């Protein structure tokens, strides 16, 4: 090692007129030799370990690649509702991945069955984990309509297996995405030999206690599967250096999550398929080209391009003629995808996105990956100096609807908000919770000095919604404490989320990708579903053989 290092250094040193200048030839054609130090990488003698064979991020199950770029976010059509809350702005979106279709009933049932197997609801300790994940099937009921067939069958009957799941609130959607992240990473680790074959099934069948958590595996791998991972390791265990995968291994996928509002709108517009000036400037009315909802091409001319409400009492057209093929939701992939290969970005069901809703967007909005909803967290460190694993302590939360949901699952890492140690003297953020940043808070209000000193801090904010308190006592009885203040002026708060796209219940007006609506994150309906997204790491484009700018192709 020492001889090789000296050879590399000397090959770079040239004496010219008494000065040492750098005229370094490529010291080695090997990708396993550092261009910084000349040391070997991935050497059996104990060199540093890096994945030098990594090419680009793999497309994870169910996803479609969306190459990032610039677009005009916001409404440019007539504001017939007079609720102009999406002023056009130029935005740049980084490349990402998005689900090809909405999450379907059968996909969500897989999640429910897993929870039921690993955390049996008959066990009092786990009872509310499964119950808290169940969709609200009663959203189908209508006091003057007969919908009991959907109430009893829509979620579980195989006839609806490939229909989008509904009755899921925003919290449940984010928890599904977290669960999906762990299951996919189990598959990746098994494929690369870090986990034994079929190890992922042993937790589901109860052969081993506990389950797999991606963040726990990255921070304290010996703790996953309730500390039984030694018996579940794969062929990589033979190599003492690569016993566990790390982020630097390139095996662990980024997390599944809800798309941001900007990502969703960008993906729905799908401007990549058309370079027309009007589309680039945000004047594309629907996810497809043209100003109409019917197909204008020779094949299939006149067919509806989405599932939406065509008029009062008209949810699909006259039977056998001009019918869009659905009355409620439709099976995914029933209509043509947009130019990105994404299905139902207009119609079928509206979709939750990650953002907290605000009717006014700041003039100094971030024009790069805009998103409102950041809460910065960090891992909690125990007295032993290691990250804190939540084994048996399950934290539950009672939603305003009375529904109890699990905030964490056993085996996950405890997360806490960042504190002043992370925010001190920073210029890019100064608190953990940034949902209300530049939004009427005292630090950003132009007329803050005119507020009364007797008002509470939270009442000085622009969005001072009522603060009700709902909880259950030890017997399960629901206790409601309502906010009786007369000074509350709005229903908008930091727990209100955006949903995008028209649905089977909506007129064509709502099919415009720029339209945005909101609902409290704990509520569910029969017309809102969701799909997942994943950030892309590395290059913007998927072109493997792209020639670097300024260089000629050989």
């Amino acid at each position: 090692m020492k001889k090789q290092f000296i050879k590399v250094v000397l090959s770079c040193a040239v004496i010219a007129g008494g000065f040492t200048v750098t005229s370094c030839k490529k010291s080695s054609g090997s990708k396993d030799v550092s261009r910084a130090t000349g040391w070997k990488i991935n050497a059996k003698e104990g060199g540093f370990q890096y994945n030098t064979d990594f090419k680009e991020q793999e497309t994870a199950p169910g996803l479609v690649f969306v190459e990032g770029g610039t677009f005009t976010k916001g409404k440019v059509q007539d504001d017939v509702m007079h609720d102009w809350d999406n002023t056009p702005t130029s935005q740049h979106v980084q490349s990402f991945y998005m689900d090809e279709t909405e999450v379907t009933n059968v996909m969500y049932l897989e999640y429910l069955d897993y929870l039921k197997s690993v955390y049996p609801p008959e066990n009092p300790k786990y009872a509310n984990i499964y119950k808290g994940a169940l969709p609200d099937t009663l959203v189908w009921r209508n006091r003057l309509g007969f919908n009991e067939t959907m109430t009893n069958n829509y979620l579980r009957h195989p006839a609806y297996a490939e229909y989008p799941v509904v009755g899921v609130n925003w919290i449940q959607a984010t928890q599904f995405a977290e669960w999906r992240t762990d299951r996919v990473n189990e598959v990746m680790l098994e494929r690369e030999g870090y986990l034994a074959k079929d190890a992922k099934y042993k937790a589901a069948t109860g052969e081993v206690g506990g389950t797999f958590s991606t963040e726990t595996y990255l921070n304290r791998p010996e703790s996953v599967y309730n500390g039984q991972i030694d018996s579940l390791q794969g062929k990589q265990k033979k190599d003492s250096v690569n016993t566990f995968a790390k982020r630097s291994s390139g095996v662990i996928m980024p997390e599944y999550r809800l798309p941001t509002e900007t990502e969703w709108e960008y993906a729905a517009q799908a401007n990549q398929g058309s370079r027309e000036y009007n589309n680039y400037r945000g004047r594309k009315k629907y996810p497809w080209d043209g100003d109409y909802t019917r197909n204008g091409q020779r094949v299939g001319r006149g067919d509806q391009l989405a599932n939406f409400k065509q008029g009062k009492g008209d949810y699909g057209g006259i039977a056998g003629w001009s019918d869009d093929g659905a009355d409620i939701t439709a099976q995914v992939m029933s209509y043509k995808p947009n130019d990105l290969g994404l299905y139902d970005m207009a119609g079928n069901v509206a979709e939750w996105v990650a953002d907290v809703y605000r009717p006014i967007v700041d003039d100094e909005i971030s024009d790069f990956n805009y998103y409102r909803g950041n809460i910065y967290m960090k891992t909690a460190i125990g007295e032993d100096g290691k990250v804190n694993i939540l084994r048996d302590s399950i934290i539950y939360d009672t939603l305003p609807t009375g529904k109890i949901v699990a905030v964490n699952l056993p085996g996950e890492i405890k997360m806490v908000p960042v504190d002043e140690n992370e925010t001190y003297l920073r210029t890019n953020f100064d608190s953990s919770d940034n949902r209300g940043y530049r939004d009427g808070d005292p630090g950003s209000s132009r007329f803050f000095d005119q507020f009364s000193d007797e008002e509470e801090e939270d009442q000085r904010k622009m969005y001072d919604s009522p603060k009700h308190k709902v909880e259950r006592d030890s017997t399960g009885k629901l206790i409601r404490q309502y906010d009786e203040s007369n000074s509350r002026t709005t229903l908008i708060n930091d727990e209100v989320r955006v949903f995008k796209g028209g649905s089977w219940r909506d007129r064509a007006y709502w099919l415009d990708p720029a339209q945005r609506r909101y609902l409290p994150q704990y509520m569910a309906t029969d017309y809102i579903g969701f799909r997942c997204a994943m950030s892309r790491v590395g290059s913007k484009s998927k072109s493997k053989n792209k020639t670097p700018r300024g260089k000629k192709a050989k």
Side-chain angles (χ1 to χ4, degrees), residues 460-472:
R460 299 174 183 176
K461 293 186 177 182
M462 189 181 302
Y463 304 107
D464 52 350
S465 61
K467 298 184 181 299
H468 306 307
K469 184 177 180 182
V470 179
E471 58 185 357
R472 291 185 182 272

Side-chain angles (χ1 to χ4, degrees), residues 330-375:
Q331 181 171 316
V332 297
M333 298 188 180
S334 294
Y335 304 88
K336 291 182 178 180
N338 67 8
D339 289 331
L340 289 173
L342 300 170
Y343 291 86
D344 295 319
M345 295 301 288
N348 214 15
V349 292
E351 299 175 19
W352 288 113
V353 296
D355 293 57
V356 169
Y357 177 81
R358 290 292 188 269
I360 300 175
V361 177
D362 195 295
D363 290 339
E364 297 184 15
I365 178 179
S366 171
D367 58 1
F368 184 78
N369 285 347
Y370 175 76
Y371 165 64
R372 179 180 290 281
N374 281 314
I375 301 179

Side-chain angles (χ1 to χ4, degrees), residues 62 84 126 147 206 243 247 255 271 470 480 482 503:
W84 200 274
Y126 299 144
N147 298 331
T243 300
R247 288 199 193 276
E255 69 278 2
N271 289 331
V470 179
R480 302 181 181 92
Y482 295 111
S503 75

Side-chain angles (χ1 to χ4, degrees), residues 1-14 21-30 32-40:
M1 177 66 73
K2 184 176 181 181
K3 290 180 180 179
Q4 182 189 9
F5 179 72
I6 293 174
K7 181 180 179 181
V8 172
V9 173
L10 292 178
S11 69
C12 296
V14 178
V21 298
T22 300
S23 178
C24 194
K25 297 179 181 179
K26 193 171 183 180
S27 59
S28 172
S30 174
D32 288 329
V33 175
S34 169
R35 290 191 293 111
T37 62
W39 285 36
K40 286 184 179 179

Side-chain angles (χ1 to χ4, degrees), residues 358 398-401 433 435-436 455-471 479-496 522:
R358 290 292 188 269
T398 303
L399 304 181
T401 57
D433 190 345
R435 291 174 296 180
E455 292 180 310
E456 297 179 359
E457 179 90 357
D458 59 354
Q459 287 180 303
R460 299 174 183 176
K461 293 186 177 182
M462 189 181 302
Y463 304 107
D464 52 350
S465 61
K467 298 184 181 299
H468 306 307
K469 184 177 180 182
V470 179
E471 58 185 357
I479 302 174
R480 302 181 181 92
Q481 297 180 6
Y482 295 111
D483 187 342
E484 298 180 357
S485 171
N486 293 323
S487 61
R488 305 301 190 183
T489 59
T490 180
L491 295 177
I492 299 172
N493 57 34
D494 290 343
E495 280 70 47
V496 169
Y522 52 81

Side-chain angles (χ1 to χ4, degrees), residues 18 31 64 87 114 120 201 208 236 264 276 282 317 336 415 465 469 478 484 506 526 531:
K31 60 187 176 183
V64 170
T87 304
Y114 184 92
Y201 296 116
V208 297
Q236 291 285 359
W264 195 99
E276 295 180 10
K336 291 182 178 180
M415 304 296 292
S465 61
K469 184 177 180 182
L478 199 62
E484 298 180 357
D506 296 312
D526 61 356
R531 72 179 76 208

Side-chain angles (χ1 to χ4, degrees), residues 248-272:
S248 58
S249 303
V251 177
I252 304 293
M253 284 284 181
E255 69 278 2
Y256 283 86
R257 54 177 175 80
L258 291 181
T260 66
E261 180 181 2
T262 305
E263 287 174 336
W264 195 99
E265 191 170 323
Y266 176 81
Q269 282 193 17
N271 289 331
Q272 286 90 326

